[in-house]
Amino acid sequence: INAEYMGKNKLCCNSHSREMFRPRVSHYAVTELSARITVQSQRGSVKKCFVYHQDRYAPDTRHAFGVTEFFLAGSCDYYDYYQGVVSCPTRRVRYRFLLYPTDGTTAVWLGEDGTNTSASAVGFFHLPYLTTRDLYAVPTWASSAVCYQIFPDRFCRVAQHGEKNDRRFVPWHSTPTRDNFFGGNLVGITSKLPYLHDLGINMLYLTPIFHAPTNHKYDTQDYYALDPAFGTLDDLKQLVREAHTLHIKVVLDCVFNHCGDNFFAFRDVCLNGVASKYADWFHIHSFPPDPEKCNYETFAVNIPSLPKLRTENPEVREYLLQVAEYWIREADIDGWRLDVANEVDHHFWRMFRDRVRAVKSDAIIIGEIWHEAHEWLLGDQFDGVMNYKFREAVLDFLVFEKLEAETFARRLTRLVMLYPEPALRCCLNLLGSHDTDRILSLCKNHDESTARARVLLSVVVQMFMPGIPMIYYGDELDMEGGADPLCRGAMMWERVYGETVTAASTSAAATTTTTTTTTTTTTTTTTTTTTTSPSPSSSPSTSPAPERPKLFEVYATFTKFRKSHPAFQTGALKVLHACNVQNLVVLARLSPDDNSEVFRLYLNCSARRQHPWDPQSHHQTVWSSETLCDATSRSDVPLRPFEARLCFNPLAGQQ
């Protein structure tokens, strides 16, 4: 269903062979009767683009073709992208392009055999048959999803559960290290579902919760058991049930690239060496495996506690595929986020997709890939990836000021053109994660007011982009934290409810009994007292709560827009304007029906007032970071320093 072609010849604009670009074309089936086609040309070289398409068995005569004009979808540093959807009533289609150069020279044809002024000389691009099985299918619910990532040990602690575990939990707001444990658990997460619902969250992503010795759990010891510190299978089932009641999907994180050194198969190899029946489950260079020498492949470079699994081994493959099926069947989870996904073979992921979708047809599959991931996003492996390339672009422009406005705008265009549109809708657009500094901490080279303004602009871009915005827990409450492990601090519930958190908390039922645990180097003393203070896992008290940070309200407002407007769900993004002098960027989300402009976003990224670019009298300002708005708010009012302004076009689809 996907193919890419590189033109074999240079584009000839006249009788002389003058090079303009080497065109690139891609296509994929949208439905059984239509296909999306993109042609990529050298920036500024083409002024009009027409695609001539027909059934593959139709006669090659001019009158036998349907003709569709493709419009400019966007431009990046070097390329223009012309894009459109063509109908394929017989499911078979072949096509070629007629391109009109901007310099007024002779129009040229583009086909599989290159470019020429003669149509018959260039051949056709082909979609042989749009089979149902090959359709690019992603979960429909992903189009309106807003994701919230939780590091379970640090989100919410319920003391009655922690008391059953023998780990020593540090006081709630201790400095996070690679080795300490805070006691957050699944019951605590369940107790906070109403808070997440108020924020507008409808997709929950938990970092690993399976049995493992570390606080991060990426060193899996038992793929079929939850870590006792987090809870029981019943706790997970209860979390998923209550989340589903609030229309929140639950996605779990798992590592199929490597395991922990306590994993049963690796322990057996360490004990029995080459005679172990699991000897071929790993990449071992010599026997016995020796952690001191690290004579086996691991995650990253020589991390002996994380031996790499040999997924090409049929036994390993089957074991892991059954793990993926088990948790969907047993706990009714809604998908998987896959750690280090780019270091596992494509064949495994194709089988993974088939097996997961056979159990739950709308389960989502997200891969952790930090670089461009086109080869994993062809409709046969992942639905989307962690969009670190988006994060990189936003930070380089708004935080580090490495990019100018026009370069940033072109970078956004390249990002939305990088993957097929269904995959783009399923990518997690993040500003931070458990593996990165928190964005507010990255802004510390600016004064506090400017730092917060830049974070807010970053969040607005995140919420405006196609894809699934992913909020890292606590970012909505202005949490700070440097590189791992500092980015994994305890959730600051006092910024929501006003309580002071110093120790373990009460149950999710908000009882008045709290357990305070004090740990020293030699003893652990537990005392139980009665208090009327709310705790991290209890319901809010009746006392006045503090005003929530501005970012919380920004996220909550934009989640409503994303859930209620099709333009935010399946409409394209278009860069309308960017200016380096003003440091101004103007973006639009288009109607999925007719590509008319529905929403316009102004981003004044400077410390100066700016006049809006091309204000439309009929546009309504529906949100601004600086002023209160209603349906009568004008869109031509000058933008204040670092203001983001969202305008709505009530005439979209009527013009």
Side-chain angles (χ1 to χ4, degrees):
I1 62 172
N2 294 273
E4 294 188 343
Y5 302 92
M6 190 69 76
K8 297 179 180 178
N9 303 327
K10 299 173 182 178
L11 179 61
C12 302
C13 297
N14 50 37
S15 58
H16 301 92
S17 296
R18 182 162 60 84
E19 181 177 349
M20 287 184 60
F21 59 78
R22 192 174 292 272
R24 185 177 184 178
V25 175
S26 64
H27 59 218
Y28 61 89
V30 178
T31 69
E32 295 173 348
L33 301 176
S34 63
R36 183 181 297 277
I37 303 173
T38 303
V39 59
Q40 175 182 320
S41 64
Q42 182 183 345
R43 187 177 169 202
S45 63
V46 172
K47 67 177 180 181
K48 280 186 176 295
C49 173
F50 295 89
V51 61
Y52 284 68
H53 50 94
Q54 64 173 180
D55 182 276
R56 293 180 62 241
Y57 297 103
D60 185 3
T61 59
R62 190 175 186 88
H63 299 292
F65 287 87
V67 182
T68 303
E69 183 174 3
F70 279 12
F71 294 95
L72 181 66
S75 302
C76 67
D77 286 330
Y78 304 108
Y79 301 107
D80 289 333
Y81 298 89
Y82 287 85
Q83 192 173 71
V85 175
V86 300
S87 62
C88 314
T90 64
R91 295 196 179 191
R92 301 177 297 266
V93 66
R94 62 181 183 179
Y95 63 93
R96 56 190 170 212
F97 296 95
L98 183 59
L99 307 175
Y100 288 84
T102 53
D103 62 5
T105 52
T106 306
V108 295
W109 293 92
L110 167 65
E112 194 174 79
D113 295 327
T115 55
N116 201 290
T117 54
S118 170
S120 60
V122 302
F124 294 95
F125 298 107
H126 293 267
L127 272 163
Y129 193 83
L130 307 187
T131 64
T132 303
R133 180 65 178 81
D134 287 338
L135 290 178
Y136 207 124
V138 298
T140 56
W141 58 264
S143 298
S144 58
V146 178
C147 180
Y148 193 88
Q149 182 194 1
I150 289 177
F151 194 82
D153 183 60
R154 311 293 160 81
F155 189 65
C156 183
R157 181 200 302 180
V158 172
Q160 65 178 23
H161 200 78
E163 292 166 356
K164 300 176 184 178
N165 193 276
D166 62 358
R167 284 198 173 102
R168 294 179 176 181
F169 298 143
V170 298
W172 190 246
H173 283 312
S174 300
T175 299
T177 70
R178 296 188 184 278
D179 301 315
N180 58 6
F181 295 85
F182 287 64
N185 48 42
L186 296 175
V187 176
I189 296 172
T190 303
S191 73
K192 295 305 182 185
L193 288 176
Y195 166 83
L196 298 175
H197 186 259
D198 288 346
L199 185 58
I201 301 303
N202 53 12
M203 176 180 171
L204 199 56
Y205 149 39
L206 310 182
T207 57
I209 58 176
F210 305 119
H211 194 192
T214 59
N215 54 34
H216 57 72
K217 311 301 178 193
Y218 283 101
D219 53 338
T220 312
Q221 177 175 327
D222 188 345
Y223 286 90
Y224 283 97
L226 298 179
D227 194 276
F230 291 156
T232 65
L233 177 58
D234 285 340
D235 293 333
L236 177 60
K237 289 181 177 180
Q238 182 70 11
L239 168 60
V240 174
R241 279 196 300 268
E242 294 196 21
H244 287 174
T245 299
L246 295 173
H247 306 289
I248 299 173
K249 304 289 186 180
V250 179
V251 174
L252 298 187
D253 195 342
C254 201
V255 195
F256 296 120
N257 174 71
H258 57 268
C259 61
D261 56 0
N262 286 319
F263 181 53
F264 79 93
F266 191 74
R267 291 202 313 269
D268 191 275
V269 178
C270 291
L271 180 64
N272 298 306
V274 71
S276 170
K277 66 178 182 179
Y278 305 110
D280 197 36
W281 279 39
F282 306 93
H283 301 260
I284 300 174
H285 304 310
S286 62
F287 290 91
D290 185 346
E292 293 294 326
K293 298 178 181 178
C294 200
N295 56 343
Y296 48 89
E297 291 188 29
T298 70
F299 165 67
V301 180
N302 297 332
I303 304 178
S305 61
L306 301 175
K308 182 174 175 61
L309 290 159
R310 189 184 289 274
T311 51
E312 64 268 30
N313 181 320
E315 293 179 355
V316 176
R317 187 166 61 236
E318 185 59 27
Y319 176 88
L320 297 175
L321 293 175
Q322 288 184 17
V323 168
E325 294 171 323
Y326 172 82
W327 289 105
I328 297 175
R329 289 195 180 103
E330 194 67 26
D332 197 25
I333 65 168
D334 301 293
W336 291 102
R337 182 268 190 188
L338 304 164
D339 194 59
V340 202
N342 55 340
E343 297 186 24
V344 177
D345 61 272
H346 294 285
H347 179 64
F348 176 84
W349 291 132
R350 292 184 183 102
M351 295 186 69
F352 182 92
R353 183 182 186 87
D354 287 343
R355 296 281 285 269
V356 164
R357 287 291 174 80
V359 179
K360 196 167 201 175
S361 60
D362 67 344
I364 198 167
I365 303 171
I366 305 291
E368 184 212 15
I369 298 178
W370 290 55
H371 52 81
E372 291 186 10
H374 189 270
E375 62 193 280
W376 287 271
L377 297 175
L378 299 177
D380 59 347
Q381 295 171 74
F382 306 150
D383 296 310
V385 294
M386 305 280 289
N387 201 351
Y388 280 99
K389 298 299 292 182
F390 165 78
R391 175 179 184 267
E392 179 183 305
V394 172
L395 295 186
D396 282 351
F397 176 51
L398 288 170
V399 176
F400 304 133
E401 300 181 275
K402 294 179 181 179
L403 303 180
E404 293 184 308
E406 294 170 27
T407 305
F408 172 67
R410 293 193 293 268
R411 184 82 65 87
L412 290 184
T413 295
R414 186 174 185 279
L415 285 173
V416 298
M417 293 295 166
L418 192 58
Y419 305 133
E421 189 268 341
L424 185 69
R425 293 205 309 265
C426 292
C427 285
L428 297 187
N429 295 332
L430 66 152
L431 298 175
S433 74
H434 65 290
D435 286 326
T436 71
D437 301 61
R438 289 184 180 269
I439 185 171
L440 187 56
S441 295
L442 292 174
C443 288
K444 288 308 178 184
N445 56 321
H446 303 284
D447 64 77
E448 183 176 357
S449 175
T450 302
R452 293 185 181 278
R454 289 183 178 277
V455 171
L456 190 149
L457 288 173
S458 301
V459 167
V460 172
V461 174
Q462 177 190 30
M463 299 301 289
F464 196 75
M465 283 287 290
I468 302 174
M470 191 198 86
I471 306 168
Y472 184 47
Y473 79 96
D475 277 358
E476 77 280 10
L477 301 179
D478 294 335
M479 279 183 62
E480 299 180 40
D484 171 21
L486 297 178
C487 58
R488 303 174 180 182
M491 181 70 167
M492 293 184 168
W493 291 112
E494 65 273 20
R495 295 185 179 179
V496 180
Y497 304 128
E499 71 264 21
T500 300
V501 183
T502 58
S505 61
T506 62
S507 70
T511 61
T512 59
T513 302
T514 62
T515 302
T516 303
T517 303
T518 305
T519 304
T520 67
T521 57
T522 57
T523 61
T524 301
T525 304
T526 302
T527 59
T528 301
T529 59
T530 300
T531 176
T532 57
S533 301
S535 61
S537 63
S538 65
S539 300
S541 68
T542 56
S543 60
E547 183 178 354
R548 289 178 177 175
K550 188 172 184 177
L551 279 186
F552 183 99
E553 302 305 329
V554 173
Y555 275 123
T557 297
F558 271 85
T559 57
K560 293 176 183 176
F561 284 128
R562 293 185 67 91
K563 292 175 182 179
S564 59
H565 291 279
F568 272 119
Q569 296 165 13
T570 56
L573 176 102
K574 187 169 185 177
V575 174
L576 298 179
H577 177 72
C579 177
N580 292 339
V581 175
Q582 293 178 297
N583 213 12
L584 178 69
V585 176
V586 186
L587 308 174
R589 291 299 298 269
L590 308 181
S591 166
D593 296 325
D594 61 5
N595 281 332
S596 60
E597 180 185 337
V598 179
F599 286 98
R600 177 179 295 191
L601 178 66
Y602 291 96
L603 297 167
N604 180 11
C605 306
S606 75
R608 305 181 305 275
R609 293 170 69 93
Q610 305 286 358
H611 194 274
W613 171 84
D614 189 31
Q616 301 294 308
S617 60
H618 58 277
H619 281 190
Q620 302 168 355
T621 299
V622 292
W623 179 86
S624 168
S625 60
E626 296 296 323
T627 58
L628 295 175
C629 304
D630 57 34
T632 63
S633 298
R634 293 172 53 184
S635 63
D636 59 349
V637 176
L639 296 155
R640 298 183 182 183
F642 298 109
E643 180 182 351
R645 181 182 299 172
L646 182 68
C647 298
F648 173 67
N649 176 16
L651 302 181
Q654 304 175 28
Q655 298 171 306

